[in-house]
Amino acid sequence: MGMKSDIRLIDDNGLRIDGRLPNQLRPIKMEVGVVKRADGSAYIEWGGNKIIAAVYGPREAYPKHVQESDRAIVRARYNMAAFSVDERKRPGPDRRSVELSKVISEALTSAIFVEKFPRTAIDVYIEVLQADAGTRVAGITVASLALADAGIPMRDLIVGCAAGKVDDVVVLDLNKEEDNFGQADVPMAILPRTGEIALLQMDGDLTYDELTNAMEMAIDAAKKIYDMEIETLKAKYGGDVNEQ
Amino acid sequence: MSSKFTEGVVAESKRSYIHKLASEGTRIDGRDFDEVRTIKIKTGFIQRADGSALVELGDTKVLVGVKIEPGEPFPDTPDMGIMTTNVELVPLASPTFEPGPPSEEAIELARVVDRGIRESHTIDMEKLVIEEGEKVWVVFIDMHVLDYHGNLFDACGIAALAALNDATVPAERFGFGEDFKLPIIHYPVPVTFAKIGEWIVADPNLDEESIASARLTVTTNEEEKVNAMQKGLFGTFTYEEVKKSINRSLSIGKQVRKIILGDENGKEN
Amino acid sequence: MEEEKKVRDIVVPGEEIVAEGKPGRGVFSEGGKMYSMYLGIVDVRSGYVNVIPLSGCYIPKKGDKVIGKVIDLAPMNWVVDINAPYYAPLHVNDVPWRVGFGDTGRFLEIGDVILAKVSNVNEMGQVWITLKEQGLRKLEGGHLIHISPSKVPRVIGKGGSMIQLLKDSTNCRIYVGQNGTIWISGEPDGIVKVIKAIRMIEREAHTYGLTDRVKEFLERGDE
C-alpha cells in the first residue's frame, strides 16, 4: 500500500487500468482433484494468480505436543514459490507467510467440524505459483475447495475476497498495480451461508464509510465466488449425476 | 497448544462465570464492555535508547525501545526513511512463553503493530533522508513484553506510539548535524475486542482472552481514519459486529490517544 | 417419497437439504434446517436424511473388518495403519498366537498385511483391533488397492452381490475392508480385471444401473 506514483489507476470513464469497473472481479477459474496423491486438492486461477492447494488428513498430529485432546488442529501453510513474483523471492517462510498461514488456519478452522477428530492434524498446503495480488483470499478459496474434496466435514464452504481503495475510489479485488499504488486493501473470508466473517484484515487509510463500502462490496462478490465453488465441486461428479 | 497466548485449559467454571457476568453487562474485573484497563506510561525509561516507553495496561507490561541509525534506503523508496518492528515474547513474562525463535504469535503481533504505524504514516519518513538514494535514518522499534496479562496488541501499539513520540534522531552522534525530534504526524491507536459468547468486550484481560472465540483489532488515527484491522482466532464475527467494533474503536481510541499524548491523567513522567 | 431413488443429489458442505426425515449421518441442523457436512450424495432411508461423503478418510467403527498394514513393532504390540486418522495398536493378547515379550517381530513384520476387526473405539478416537476371531488373519501375497471408504458398500453390493460377481467372473480371492482397503489374489489377468472393475465402481458409485454395467464390462473384458 501507499507507494507513491504518478500512475493514474482510474481513468476518466471510471474504469480501472485493466478495464474493470470498480465492483468487478477479475476472471476466476477453479478445478478440484488436481493432486492425485493428496486426500483432497484444488487449483485456482484468479486474475494472474495461479494457486494450488492440497489437503492431507485428518491424520495423527506430530510432534505429539501439538495435539489437542478434543479437536483436530488445522495447519495451513501458505507458501510462495521463488519464481511467483517479479523479483525472486527467497524460498522458505518469511514473517509475512507465517502471519498469513496463521490467519488462514484460523479462518479455515471456523468452518470445519474439528471436534470430530481429536488429536489429529488437517494439513492444508497452499502453494502460490504465480502471484498477482489477493493471494491470501484466492488461497483461502482454493483451500476450501480442497477441504471439501478431501471429505472433511464442514459447516460451510469458505470464500475469500478483497476490496480496497485506489485513486480515492473504493474498488473490488485489487490487482497488482492497484495493490502496490493503492490506498487501502481489505482482505476478507466469509462463510457464505451465514455471512459470518472468518478472516478480516485491513491496511491503508479509510474513513468509516469507505471501509463499510469496501466490506459490503467484498461480501457481495463473495456470493458469486461461492456459486463458482459449488459448481466446481459438483462438476467433478456432475457428468453422471442424473444417469439412470 | 492452540495459542501461546492462552494459559492452557481454562476451567469450565471460569468460562461459564465470565459468560454469566457478560450476560449481566459486566466483566470479571468489574469493567464496562468498552472500558480499557488503567494505562500508565513512562517515557524515556531507557536512556540508551533514542526513544522509549514503559507501558502498563492493567497488569500487562510492555517496554518499547526505539533506536535510530543511519542506513541505506530501499531502492524503490530512495527519498524515505525506513522503520522495522520486532516483538520479543521473553519467557520471563509468562509461563507459556518459550525461548527460541519468534513464535507465529509474536510475528503476527509485530506485523499488526507495524501495519498500524506504517499505514497511518505515523512517522514523516520524508524528513528522515540524509542523502537521497544513499543514506536515510532507519527507525528500529523493538517491543519487549515484560508481563503478560492479556491484550498485547493494544499494549504494544500504545507503547510503540509513546516511544516514537518520545524519540530523538541522534544526528550528532553520527556526524549529521544537530539532533532533532523524530517527526510524528499521525497518532494511530489500536483497540482490540474479544468475542465472548455473543458479547464483545474491549481490551480483554488474560481470563477473557483465554475463553474468547474471536478477536478483532481495529487501529484508527486522530483523523478518524481506519488504518489497520486484524481478525484472529477460530470464531467468526457478523458484519454488524464488525461495524460496531469499528465505531467503538474510534471512540475508545480517542480517549486512549489523549492518555498517550499526556493530555489526561495517566502519564507518569 | 416415491422419487427418492431416482436422482442422487450431490450437495456441498453447508448446503441446505430439503427432504422429509430426521437429520442422520453427515447432516447437521441449525435453526430448524438441515445442512450437509460433506461433499456427498443425499440418501433418505428409514426416516433419516443422510449425506454419504464422496471422499474422505475411514472413521473406525466397532465391529468393522478392516485391512491394515503393520508399520511398527513394539515389545507388546504392533502398530497398524488402517487408513484412519489414527494408527491402531494390535496387542499380543489380541492375536491367536502366544507371543513372548519382545517377540512380536517373529509373528508379524513391518509391511505385513492383516485382515483384522475393530474391537473398540473410544471418544478420543483411539482404536483397538484384534485377530482373535474366525477368518481374521495375515494376508499372504496378493495385491492391495485403496478406495474411498464411503464407496465400500457399492463394491460389496446388495447382499454381497457385486463382490460375488467380481469373484465369480475372475476366479480371484477378494477381501474388502470397511476402511476402503481391498486385497485381491489370483491370476494376473484376473487381478487387472478386478482392479479395473473396482475403479469403475468407484468412479460411478453415485449412479444407478451400476451392477449391470459392471456385469457387461466383466463379460466384455474391456471398458
Side-chain angles (χ1 to χ4, degrees), chain C residues 7-105:
Chain C
V7 174
R8 291 174 180 243
D9 285 330
I10 296 190
V11 288
V12 302
E15 185 168 336
E16 192 184 337
I17 303 170
V18 185
E20 292 283 325
K22 283 181 264 185
R25 279 177 298 122
V27 171
F28 66 101
S29 15
E30 226 175 77
K33 289 179 175 175
M34 286 186 287
Y35 301 94
S36 174
M37 282 185 187
Y38 297 101
L39 173 61
I41 48 181
V42 179
D43 183 63
V44 183
R45 62 181 71 207
S46 324
Y48 283 93
V49 179
N50 304 302
V51 169
I52 300 164
L54 287 162
S55 55
C57 65
Y58 167 63
I59 306 300
K61 280 200 306 292
K62 191 176 172 176
D64 278 359
K65 283 193 181 158
V66 296
I67 295 170
K69 198 180 241 177
V70 177
I71 58 158
D72 204 2
L73 305 177
M76 293 292 279
N77 67 277
W78 298 265
V79 180
V80 183
D81 182 355
I82 56 166
N83 202 27
Y86 315 93
Y87 295 131
L90 173 64
H91 196 264
V92 290
N93 290 341
D94 291 319
V95 297
W97 320 296
R98 191 194 296 253
V99 184
F101 184 85
D103 230 7
T104 44

Side-chain angles (χ1 to χ4, degrees), chain B residues 136-158:
Chain B
V136 297
W137 292 107
V138 184
V139 181
F140 295 94
I141 306 167
D142 284 293
M143 301 177 260
H144 238 67
V145 175
L146 300 180
D147 203 344
Y148 169 51
H149 287 270
N151 195 10
L152 293 178
F153 287 87
D154 295 358
C156 286
I158 292 166

Side-chain angles (χ1 to χ4, degrees), chain B residues 9-116:
Chain B
V9 181
V10 190
E12 205 45 46
S13 59
K14 189 182 266 178
R15 183 188 303 271
S16 49
Y17 179 53
I18 294 175
H19 277 240
K20 183 172 173 290
L21 288 175
S23 71
E24 291 162 0
T26 185
R27 299 166 67 172
I28 196 160
D29 52 12
R31 283 184 288 155
D32 292 334
F33 286 2
D34 276 5
E35 192 177 338
V36 172
R37 289 171 290 177
T38 307
I39 299 172
K40 290 185 188 160
I41 300 173
K42 206 178 275 181
T43 50
F45 186 77
I46 301 292
Q47 285 77 33
R48 289 200 185 277
D50 300 308
S52 64
L54 178 64
V55 165
E56 289 175 37
L57 177 59
D59 289 332
T60 291
K61 200 181 287 178
V62 172
L63 175 61
V64 172
V66 174
K67 292 287 244 181
I68 305 173
E69 293 172 5
E72 259 184 59
F74 290 120
D76 52 350
T77 53
D79 54 349
M80 286 207 234
I82 291 173
M83 62 164 268
T84 74
T85 49
N86 187 50
V87 175
E88 292 226 31
L89 301 180
V90 290
L92 82 81
S94 164
T96 54
F97 293 173
E98 287 161 16
S103 62
E104 58 177 20
E105 283 81 3
I107 290 171
E108 181 188 27
L109 176 58
R111 285 181 54 86
V112 171
V113 174
D114 185 283
R115 281 207 284 276

Side-chain angles (χ1 to χ4, degrees), chain A residues 39 57-60 62 69 113 116-120 148-157 193-194 226 230 233-234 237-238 240-244, chain C residues 6-8 10-15 28 30 35-39 54-57 59 85-87 123-126 151 203-204 206-209 213:
Chain A
D39 295 320
R59 55 187 181 186
E60 248 172 280
Y62 286 99
S69 59
F113 286 101
K116 280 177 137 342
F117 307 106
R119 299 187 292 113
T120 66
D149 184 46
I152 305 289
M154 294 193 281
R155 61 192 183 101
D156 209 349
L157 294 172
R193 178 169 64 82
T194 57
Y226 179 49
I230 294 176
L233 287 168
K234 292 191 176 179
Y237 301 92
D240 308 317
V241 186
N242 293 333
E243 222 174 88
Q244 287 299 304
Chain C
K6 276 269 182 339
V7 174
R8 291 174 180 243
I10 296 190
V11 288
V12 302
E15 185 168 336
F28 66 101
E30 226 175 77
Y35 301 94
S36 174
M37 282 185 187
Y38 297 101
L39 173 61
L54 287 162
S55 55
C57 65
I59 306 300
Y86 315 93
Y87 295 131
E123 67 280 6
M124 289 279 290
Q126 284 164 310
K151 290 170 186 159
R203 234 179 8 250
E204 302 175 13
H206 54 295
T207 66
Y208 293 101
R213 284 202 301 285

Side-chain angles (χ1 to χ4, degrees), chain A residues 32-240:
Chain A
V32 287
V34 294
V35 181
K36 299 289 179 263
R37 189 70 180 80
D39 295 320
S41 61
Y43 173 71
I44 195 166
E45 288 187 8
W46 181 326
N49 291 307
K50 293 176 196 286
I51 305 175
I52 194 163
V55 170
Y56 289 86
R59 55 187 181 186
E60 248 172 280
Y62 286 99
K64 253 199 155 96
H65 70 81
V66 306
Q67 292 182 354
E68 290 286 347
S69 59
D70 56 352
R71 65 177 175 88
I73 54 168
V74 179
R75 295 188 291 207
R77 178 178 182 268
Y78 167 100
N79 187 48
M80 284 176 92
F83 48 74
S84 63
V85 279
D86 287 339
E87 200 169 313
R88 180 175 184 271
K89 187 201 160 288
R90 243 184 63 184
D94 54 14
R95 283 158 57 106
R96 176 176 173 276
S97 63
V98 170
E99 184 206 340
L100 293 188
S101 297
K102 180 172 190 286
V103 293
I104 292 171
S105 301
E106 290 171 343
L108 295 175
T109 304
S110 72
I112 298 173
F113 286 101
V114 286
E115 62 277 14
K116 280 177 137 342
F117 307 106
R119 299 187 292 113
T120 66
I122 298 170
D123 288 304
V124 185
Y125 300 110
I126 300 167
E127 292 290 323
V128 179
L129 308 178
Q130 181 169 289
D132 182 30
T135 54
R136 86 195 63 177
V137 293
I140 210 162
T141 305
V142 70
S144 162
L145 290 175
L147 285 165
D149 184 46
I152 305 289
M154 294 193 281
R155 61 192 183 101
D156 209 349
L157 294 172
I158 310 163
V159 178
C161 193
K165 182 168 83 164
V166 300
D167 282 2
D168 294 325
V169 179
V170 173
V171 298
L172 180 68
D173 185 24
L174 278 63
N175 65 25
K176 186 156 160 281
E177 289 74 18
E178 292 172 332
D179 189 40
N180 286 347
F181 302 111
Q183 296 151 299
D185 187 22
V186 189
M188 301 176 80
I190 291 147
L191 308 183
R193 178 169 64 82
T194 57
E196 289 166 83
I197 295 165
L199 178 145
L200 174 62
Q201 295 180 294
M202 180 262 168
D203 60 65
D205 209 49
L206 292 176
T207 65
Y208 176 81
D209 288 341
E210 288 169 335
L211 178 52
T212 49
N213 268 346
M215 289 193 290
E216 281 161 26
M217 218 180 234
I219 290 169
D220 248 21
K223 289 176 195 139
K224 286 183 209 151
I225 303 166
Y226 179 49
D227 289 341
M228 289 184 229
E229 285 188 336
I230 294 176
E231 208 175 298
T232 306
L233 287 168
K234 292 191 176 179
K236 184 182 178 185
Y237 301 92
D240 308 317

